[in-house]
Amino acid sequence: MKIAISSEGADLKARVGHRFGISPYLIIADLGAGNFEAVESPGSLGQQGTGVQTIVLAISKDVQTVLTGYCSPAARRHLEANGIEIFTGLSGTVGEVLESYKKGEIQKVEVAKIEHEPEKRIGNMGILIDAMRRSCNQFASMLPIFLGVVMLIGLLNTFVSRQFLASLFSGNPVLDTFLGAFFGSILAGNAINSYVIGGELLRYGISLFSVTALIITWVTVGLVQLPAEIAAFGRRFALLRNGICFLLSIPIAIITVVVVNLVIR
């Protein structure tokens, strides 16, 4: 039997993580083999969507039980849907919590009693420090991305001519919007990058229809993240959601640009 414990560190002496999905590590303890594995959690980066990745990680490790301080209702639903039992409201070291679980001393807490638990902990200095640490990690993780975007724009300015970009777009609002939506679907990264890239495309003379569609699909459609989404939510839901978002992005982009033009006038 495997147990996943959200942890602030990579060993049994570390404190149990305050919240599943954003703690730096998952300690995967195999009760049958009597050993454990410390896995760095995607939540340590503090980026959007890392909660889903942590759920996928727990499922991929064949975990049967999760021990943590707090688990959001959404994460709880997906974990329980995959047969994973969740115990929350825990504190202390990972080793202490693990021993308590082995002895049967840990009781499940009703969901209704824990949904507002984070709000009750606002005054906890540990939560504040944890939030500051995640913010710093997020900034540090975003810095290389911004540098990469700047370099990409530099390469774009150097090697890609306006004539080439213009040749990709016909000037037809519907067709250009479709192309923008397509490129936004296959690109990935922080949503802020789409604004920077969109601004550069506008400067190159690409229509606002295309840029708007690119930004919409960038944040709503994710072909790169599709395998993880399928693992977490199921193939039908993931494909249907991405397909609907892609199709809706085109009329939404056109309507948005038309409304903006009317307001400006």
Side-chain angles (χ1 to χ4, degrees):
M1 179 180 182
K2 290 186 177 181
I3 299 174
I5 308 171
S6 57
S7 172
E8 297 297 322
D11 54 51
L12 299 182
K13 295 181 180 180
R15 305 290 298 179
V16 172
H18 297 296
R19 180 167 182 157
F20 178 82
I22 61 175
S23 298
Y25 289 90
L26 278 183
I27 302 296
I28 311 296
D30 191 331
L31 299 186
N35 55 24
F36 74 92
E37 173 190 11
V39 182
E40 189 171 357
S41 172
S44 61
L45 299 177
Q47 295 182 345
Q48 184 178 5
T50 52
V52 174
Q53 296 176 35
T54 306
I55 294 172
V56 174
L57 175 61
I59 295 172
S60 67
K61 292 292 183 179
D62 296 324
V63 167
Q64 286 85 47
T65 302
V66 167
L67 307 179
T68 185
Y70 173 78
C71 182
S72 69
R76 176 181 290 272
R77 284 195 300 271
H78 296 304
L79 289 171
E80 291 180 340
N82 285 275
I84 299 176
E85 193 174 23
I86 304 102
F87 291 85
T88 57
L90 306 177
S91 60
T93 67
V94 173
E96 292 170 349
V97 169
L98 186 58
E99 286 301 317
S100 297
Y101 177 81
K102 291 179 181 178
K103 296 176 182 178
E105 298 174 352
I106 298 178
Q107 301 295 323
K108 292 191 70 173
V109 181
E110 295 180 11
V111 177
K113 294 182 179 180
I114 63 172
E115 285 189 351
H116 301 290
E117 185 172 345
E119 286 77 4
K120 295 179 181 179
R121 295 179 176 177
I122 291 178
N124 191 313
M125 183 59 68
I127 295 292
L128 178 60
I129 295 174
D130 187 53
M132 293 177 64
R133 176 186 56 78
R134 292 200 308 272
S135 298
C136 292
N137 288 341
Q138 184 175 15
F139 177 77
S141 65
M142 289 172 60
L143 190 58
I145 297 175
F146 281 125
L147 293 177
V149 171
V150 172
M151 294 177 64
L152 179 62
I153 292 173
L155 292 173
L156 186 70
N157 290 333
T158 304
F159 297 105
V160 180
S161 66
R162 296 192 179 191
Q163 290 77 12
F164 174 75
L165 285 175
S167 67
L168 295 177
F169 297 89
S170 63
N172 183 297
V174 177
L175 181 58
D176 285 359
T177 304
F178 178 84
L179 288 174
F182 172 75
F183 288 127
S185 300
I186 62 177
L187 295 173
N190 195 292
I192 298 176
N193 295 340
S194 66
Y195 308 147
V196 179
I197 294 174
E200 288 298 309
L201 291 176
L202 287 175
R203 194 167 66 86
Y204 270 73
I206 306 303
S207 72
L208 186 57
F209 292 102
S210 303
V211 173
T212 304
L214 181 143
I215 293 175
I216 293 173
T217 53
W218 185 300
V219 298
T220 59
V221 181
L223 296 184
V224 175
Q225 299 92 345
L226 189 58
E229 188 173 348
I230 290 175
F233 302 109
R235 181 182 301 274
R236 180 179 179 183
F237 173 84
L239 294 177
L240 189 62
R241 188 199 69 78
N242 280 273
I244 291 175
C245 288
F246 179 84
L247 293 176
L248 289 179
S249 68
I250 298 174
I252 290 174
I254 294 175
I255 293 172
T256 300
V257 174
V258 170
V259 171
V260 169
N261 288 334
L262 290 175
V263 172
I264 293 176
R265 291 177 183 176

